Amino acid sequence: MNPWFETVAEAQRRAKKRLPKSVYGALIAGSERGQTIDENQQAFTELGFAPHCAGSIGERDQSTSILGQPLSMPVMISPTGVQAVHPDGEVAVARAAAARGIAMGLSSFASKPIEEVIAANPSTFFQLYWCGSKDDLVQRMARAKAAGAVGLILTLDWSFSHGRDWGSPVIPEKLDLRTMLKFAPQTLARPRWLATYARSGHIPDLTAPNMAVGDGAAPGFFGAYGEWMSTPAPDWDDVRWIVEQWGGPVMLKGVIRVDDAHRAVDAGVSAISVSNHGGNNLDGTPAAIRALPVIADAVGSQIEVVLDGGIRRGSDVVKAVALGARAVMIGRAYLWGLAANGQAGVENVLDVLRGGVDSALLGLRKTAVTDLDRSDIVVPDGFERALGVPANGVRAVSAPAETPAAESPAVASAS
């Protein structure tokens, strides 16, 4: 089989054929019946283009930046937990992103230490959850800063789904002999995946080294999750405290309402990600792209706005940028590439997106992504979702505490 693939959909098909059933199940998991995960993609199909039929343009320019970091195209890597779909995990993704000139987002629940990932891609943002004591958070931020992280992604858009209509993925706490025997039928049915790990000389690592504090051992995913569950939920003062403690660029991930976007500005964040955690938060939340235009109108002149959720094509990227996003973050798409062909597979996915962006710019007769605007998009009546907009148009000045956050291994948290 030719290792190169020409669509993200093909990367997904190859990942499904290559991965053990439980691992692939984690990649596609969404909350409850999966309404929001489906909506994230379906909403893009409702948007159309308004192309010009003539107009001479030269080479298209896809470059932009996010929080001071240059991007060769308006795409960056969204943080996802324990990337056991491939032995090289987050390091392979970081190398691929660096090779294609985009920034990396590294999860707190990653399987690779932040120092290794930043060595592979110096343009790395560290993703933080409100988990443990404030002293724990300070230590994790200090480690990220010492390693050279260029910014912080504070994720507040994930809750735990206690039931999924298709069944929740089975994710072990650790891979001891008993567990390996239990999962042996699945892994033996996927000999190429098993051979990749055999050549690497180690088994999948389900620990979270970036959650270690002081001289303590790195917890497993479920240990880290348990810590999050026992941590009182943060409020907007806590968000402001994180911004002050970090002392650099902070992106708040998980905004879906206009009033929350305003509060994020008030708390001092530098950017927000319009996101429903790829359909892994509260099922029934609207597609992120539906909430984007109103939020971008409300705060886009004050902070940078990113879209996270449902990106599968370069044309999706262009639609999001035209509706107000500075860039998009991708999750499942690159993980399918990683599963299909390691670092080269991630680079392949990024090349697919770049080609799609270029084609859309050509059809729209746009020289650069920064030239895109809403006149380039056909938005049907009733498409947008204006959540958290007071009926009287007056901004709210206070808010209850945010929902706490967590993240599943690999892709139960991907977008």
Side-chain angles (χ1 to χ4, degrees):
M1 178 187 293
N2 186 341
W4 189 85
F5 44 83
E6 61 182 26
T7 65
V8 172
E10 176 61 19
Q12 182 180 0
R13 284 191 288 269
R14 295 190 186 190
K16 184 177 182 180
K17 289 179 64 175
R18 189 179 185 91
L19 294 174
K21 182 179 179 180
S22 60
V23 179
Y24 181 73
L27 261 95
I28 62 171
S31 296
E32 297 184 336
R33 68 176 184 178
Q35 176 181 340
T36 296
I37 189 175
D38 291 341
E39 247 277 284
N40 272 347
Q41 295 178 69
Q42 175 61 33
F44 278 101
T45 70
E46 297 178 27
L47 296 169
F49 287 116
H52 292 282
C53 65
S56 177
I57 61 173
E59 184 177 352
R60 274 72 63 196
D61 181 6
Q62 299 189 26
S63 64
T64 186
S65 65
I66 187 70
L67 297 179
Q69 296 302 303
L71 303 177
S72 66
M73 61 176 171
V75 174
M76 66 177 290
I77 298 297
S78 187
T80 62
V82 185
Q83 294 175 12
V85 299
H86 189 276
D88 295 335
E90 296 84 359
V91 172
V93 176
R95 289 172 179 157
R100 294 301 184 263
I102 69 170
M104 173 77 181
L106 178 68
S107 173
S108 288
F109 295 156
S111 63
K112 303 295 183 183
I114 187 171
E115 293 82 5
E116 291 184 20
V117 174
I118 291 178
N121 187 340
S123 184
T124 293
F125 292 84
F126 180 64
Q127 178 267 342
L128 185 73
Y129 285 120
W130 188 262
C131 186
S133 68
K134 284 190 172 181
D135 184 60
D136 293 339
L137 293 167
V138 167
Q139 289 189 56
R140 290 176 188 133
M141 285 188 279
R143 178 181 173 185
K145 186 161 288 187
V150 296
L152 199 69
I153 300 174
L154 177 61
T155 300
L156 296 180
D157 68 337
W158 202 80
S159 55
F160 184 71
S161 175
H162 289 276
R164 296 179 171 94
D165 286 6
W166 54 87
S168 295
V170 179
I171 303 167
E173 170 69 20
K174 60 181 179 178
L175 289 179
D176 53 18
L177 179 60
R178 181 178 180 180
T179 302
M180 287 189 283
L181 290 173
K182 177 182 177 180
F183 282 87
Q186 289 188 37
T187 56
L188 291 174
R190 295 292 187 267
R192 288 190 299 162
W193 184 80
L194 186 60
T196 300
Y197 267 98
R199 287 193 297 269
S200 74
H202 61 81
I203 61 176
D205 188 355
L206 301 181
T207 61
N210 300 311
M211 289 291 290
V213 175
D215 296 328
F221 164 73
F222 288 101
Y225 178 76
E227 183 178 19
W228 165 73
M229 287 288 288
S230 63
T231 303
D235 58 25
W236 288 103
D237 286 337
D238 293 322
V239 174
R240 186 176 293 105
W241 177 82
I242 288 286
V243 172
E244 293 170 351
Q245 290 295 317
W246 178 253
V250 175
M251 178 190 299
L252 178 62
K253 183 175 181 290
V255 176
I256 205 75
R257 296 170 56 105
V258 172
D259 50 0
D260 281 353
H262 283 303
R263 293 182 179 105
V265 172
D266 294 341
V269 304
S270 308
I272 58 172
S273 173
V274 179
S275 170
N276 52 41
H277 215 104
N280 279 283
N281 194 9
L282 183 63
D283 200 29
T285 303
I289 189 67
R290 296 189 188 278
L292 172 66
V294 180
I295 291 175
D297 282 345
V299 300
S301 64
Q302 302 170 74
I303 57 175
E304 297 177 4
V305 178
V306 173
L307 185 283
D308 181 0
I311 299 293
R312 300 292 183 268
R313 298 166 182 82
S315 59
D316 296 338
V317 177
V318 170
K319 289 172 182 177
V321 173
L323 292 182
R326 190 177 184 93
V328 304
M329 294 204 288
I330 60 169
R332 288 183 176 89
Y334 77 78
L335 287 163
W336 289 326
L338 180 66
N341 196 24
Q343 177 182 336
V346 180
E347 293 175 0
N348 195 155
V349 165
L350 295 175
D351 289 343
V352 166
L353 295 179
R354 186 185 304 279
V357 171
D358 187 69
S359 293
L361 290 177
L362 179 61
L364 293 168
R365 298 298 189 265
K366 296 287 184 176
T367 303
V369 292
T370 51
D371 296 333
L372 293 165
D373 60 44
R374 295 187 193 184
S375 68
D376 298 312
I377 306 298
V378 179
V379 182
D381 292 341
F383 176 83
E384 297 179 4
R385 299 291 184 269
L387 308 180
V389 179
N392 60 6
V394 177
R395 276 188 55 188
V397 294
S398 62
E402 270 282 8
T403 304
E407 189 159 347
S408 289
V411 270
S413 60
S415 299

